């Protein structure tokens, strides 16, 4: 019994180390998953690795290479801890399951199965057929939380979308006169920039661009493994000014303008389109919805097709409402300032026509709350019970 407890504790400790390693992949691995791997024998760490960049060697290969760099060529009897089931198919790299078998490892503890229905379980089956003991770690929830963007993208084609808003305690995002800088405190704003840096793309509506002329960059120094997020503007009528900060910096930071197909017609639109492209902006046509705006589910799918698996949605009650109505928001992160702004005409966090009857309200689950300076931060997942979201996670 004592040995079993010690073994379970050891498995837990090394899987948590593998999770820490996995996080080092940052955004450079997208749309692939974050994966970490650790090799251990008789309580001794033999090698460790993580998936470092898209198209590069996977975590298992890096861990084996690391062990060899330490002078350990014989891995017989070792345990491999890996946060995701070793792949069984050839992509940009050879199948990891074959590498693990060839390495001589005797046991594999995995964090979660591959969510891709086309390959799920096949890597584990390959290992078992080769006589390797295969066991789940018990930390599946943590491994899933680490890779929610990958899971959603690989199972639905859509990115994982987080709706971020700063608002007063009475639900206002600005005063009645339109003043919004700054509702939240300095620590909340720094946290919001961290969120930007950890996202594949930052999405905002054209209304925010016209009123605030934002830069939408992640201020502060990004860790080496985090690439600047793509800036995406939902702009159905192609109104973005050529003089805007986004257009002027498009050659430095990737900038995509998603616009309605009909907005690209005509000589005037042709001139605007040419000017934007000359400035380095990528203009992407998206189908319109019945109300003349953009079909946000189509926009989400287009981002997914272009390899974006995580999006931070910022700014604009109209865009927030449209995204919720389209069922594409997976998570909300609200920064609540301890202030009351009042004003019947002051904008709220979510516009549009509302949820309809109370029973149809968007409800939240897995709710977490913390303090950042004077602000309260609420982080939760959107529950689409009774609706039809595009996310199963």
């Amino acid at each position: 019994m004592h040995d079993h407890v010690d073994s379970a504790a050891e498995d837990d400790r090394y899987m948590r180390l593998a999770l820490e390693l996995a996080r080092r992949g940052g955004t450079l691995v997208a749309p692939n998953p974050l994966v970490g791997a650790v090799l251990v024998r008789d309580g001794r760490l033999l090698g460790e690795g993580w998936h470092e960049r898209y198209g590069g060697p996977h975590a298992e290969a890096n861990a084996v290479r690391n062990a060899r760099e330490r002078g350990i060529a014989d891995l017989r009897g070792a345990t491999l801890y890996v946060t995701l089931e070793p792949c069984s198919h050839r992509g940009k790299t050879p199948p990891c399951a074959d590498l693990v078998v060839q390495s001589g490892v005797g046991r594999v503890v995995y964090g979660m199965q591959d969510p891709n229905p086309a390959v799920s379980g096949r890597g584990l089956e390959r290992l078992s057929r080769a006589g390797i003991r295969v066991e789940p770690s018990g930390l599946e929830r943590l491994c899933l939380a680490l890779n929610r963007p990958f899971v959603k993208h690989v199972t639905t084609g859509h990115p994982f979308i987080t709706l971020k808003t700063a608002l007063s305690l009475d639900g206002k995002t600005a005063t009645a006169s339109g003043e919004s800088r700054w509702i939240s405190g300095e620590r909340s704003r720094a946290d919001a920039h961290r969120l930007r840096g950890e996202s594949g793309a930052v999405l905002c509506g054209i209304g925010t661009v016209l009123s605030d002329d934002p830069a939408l960059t992640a201020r502060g120094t990004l860790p080496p493994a985090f690439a600047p997020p793509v800036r995406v503007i939902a702009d159905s009528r192609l109104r973005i000014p050529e003089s805007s900060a986004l257009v002027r910096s498009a050659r430095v930071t990737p900038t995509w303008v998603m616009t309605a197909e009909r907005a690209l017609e005509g000589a005037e639109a042709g001139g605007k389109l040419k000017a934007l492209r000359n400035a380095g902006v990528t203009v992407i046509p998206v189908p319109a919805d019945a109300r003349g705006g953009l079909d946000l589910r189509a926009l989400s799918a287009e981002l997914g097709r272009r390899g974006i698996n995580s999006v931070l949605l910022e700014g604009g009650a109209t865009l927030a409402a449209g995204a919720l109505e389209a069922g594409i928001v997976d998570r909300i992160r609200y920064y609540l300032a301890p202030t009351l702004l009042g004003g019947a005409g002051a904008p709220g966090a979510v516009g549009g026509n509302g949820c309809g009857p109370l029973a149809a309200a968007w409800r939240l689950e897995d709710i977490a709350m913390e303090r950042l300076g004077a602000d309260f931060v609420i982080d939760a997942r959107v529950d689409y019970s009774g609706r039809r979201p595009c996310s199963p996670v």
Side-chain angles (χ1 to χ4, degrees):
M1 180 67 179
H2 181 68
D3 289 344
H4 173 74
V5 172
D6 286 350
S7 175
E10 181 174 275
D11 286 351
D12 186 276
R13 183 169 78 253
Y14 286 119
M15 184 56 70
R16 288 179 186 274
L17 173 57
L19 280 163
E20 288 179 23
L21 293 168
R23 292 186 182 94
R24 297 185 187 181
T27 59
L28 297 186
V29 304
N32 279 356
L34 293 163
V35 184
V38 178
L39 286 161
V40 178
R41 182 170 54 209
D42 299 328
R44 178 189 172 199
L45 180 65
L46 306 181
E48 58 186 26
W50 63 94
H51 186 30
E52 297 176 10
R53 66 186 185 282
Y54 178 70
H58 288 187
E60 300 92 327
N62 285 332
V64 170
R65 184 184 66 190
N66 182 244
R68 288 172 179 157
E69 289 171 349
R70 298 181 184 203
I72 305 166
D74 183 2
L75 295 175
R76 284 177 294 181
T79 294
L80 170 68
Y81 296 89
V82 61
T83 56
L84 180 70
E85 171 187 355
C87 62
S88 58
H89 61 291
R90 177 175 289 275
K92 291 186 176 292
T93 60
C96 289
D98 290 350
L99 171 72
V100 174
V101 170
Q102 293 160 11
S103 74
V105 163
R107 177 174 175 250
V108 171
V109 178
Y110 65 95
M112 61 178 282
Q113 282 193 217
D114 191 324
N116 186 342
V119 298
S120 181
R122 293 185 184 178
L124 302 178
E125 183 182 338
R126 169 80 177 92
L127 300 177
S128 294
R129 284 204 315 268
I132 296 174
R133 285 171 54 204
V134 178
E135 302 171 16
S137 74
L139 296 181
E140 180 181 16
R141 187 176 178 85
L142 292 180
C143 295
L144 175 61
L146 177 70
N147 272 313
R148 288 200 183 281
F150 167 71
V151 173
K152 184 180 180 186
H153 187 252
V154 81
T155 56
T156 70
H158 289 259
F160 187 90
I161 298 181
T162 299
L163 171 60
K164 186 269 303 184
T165 308
L167 64 165
S168 64
L169 208 54
D170 56 341
K172 308 296 185 180
T173 59
T175 65
S177 64
E179 186 181 356
S180 61
R181 295 185 178 181
W182 297 103
I183 289 178
S184 58
E186 189 175 327
R187 287 186 61 187
S188 290
R189 296 198 298 276
D191 187 69
H193 280 286
R194 175 192 61 80
L195 276 182
R196 281 185 183 176
E198 293 177 356
S199 302
V202 177
L203 170 64
C204 83
I206 185 61
T208 299
V209 175
L210 295 175
S211 62
D212 297 344
D213 194 24
L216 296 184
T217 53
R219 285 188 276 282
T221 302
L222 287 177
F226 288 84
V230 176
R231 303 176 302 185
V232 181
I233 312 304
D235 181 8
S236 62
R237 289 182 279 161
L238 203 62
R239 292 186 291 158
I240 188 168
E242 294 166 38
S243 60
S244 66
L246 291 166
V247 174
R248 286 187 285 109
S249 59
R251 294 207 175 276
V252 177
T253 305
T255 305
W256 299 353
V257 173
M258 318 287 279
T259 192
E261 293 160 342
R262 66 176 181 279
L264 301 179
E265 300 170 358
E268 184 179 345
K272 179 74 171 284
L273 181 61
K274 183 177 180 181
L276 292 175
R277 286 177 172 165
N278 286 343
V281 175
T282 300
V283 180
I284 303 168
V286 174
D289 63 16
R291 292 172 290 190
L294 295 180
D295 181 331
L296 294 181
R297 284 183 67 84
L299 183 151
S300 172
E302 183 62 30
L303 293 178
R305 276 192 291 273
R306 291 172 179 262
I308 300 293
N309 69 1
S310 62
V311 174
L312 183 64
L313 195 161
E314 295 195 41
T318 300
L319 183 60
L324 285 165
E325 290 166 2
I328 62 172
V329 176
D330 299 279
R331 170 191 178 203
I332 64 109
R333 189 164 177 85
Y334 275 14
Y335 300 88
L336 290 173
T339 56
L340 302 172
L341 299 184
V350 181
N353 296 320
C355 64
L358 186 59
W362 296 282
R363 301 193 182 275
L364 305 176
E365 59 185 6
D366 296 340
I367 300 167
M369 179 179 283
E370 62 179 306
R371 290 290 297 271
L372 278 179
D375 298 338
F376 298 90
V377 184
I378 296 177
D379 196 294
R381 292 176 56 215
V382 182
D383 178 7
Y384 286 98
S385 298
R387 296 175 179 269
R388 298 181 63 186
C390 60
S391 172
V393 298

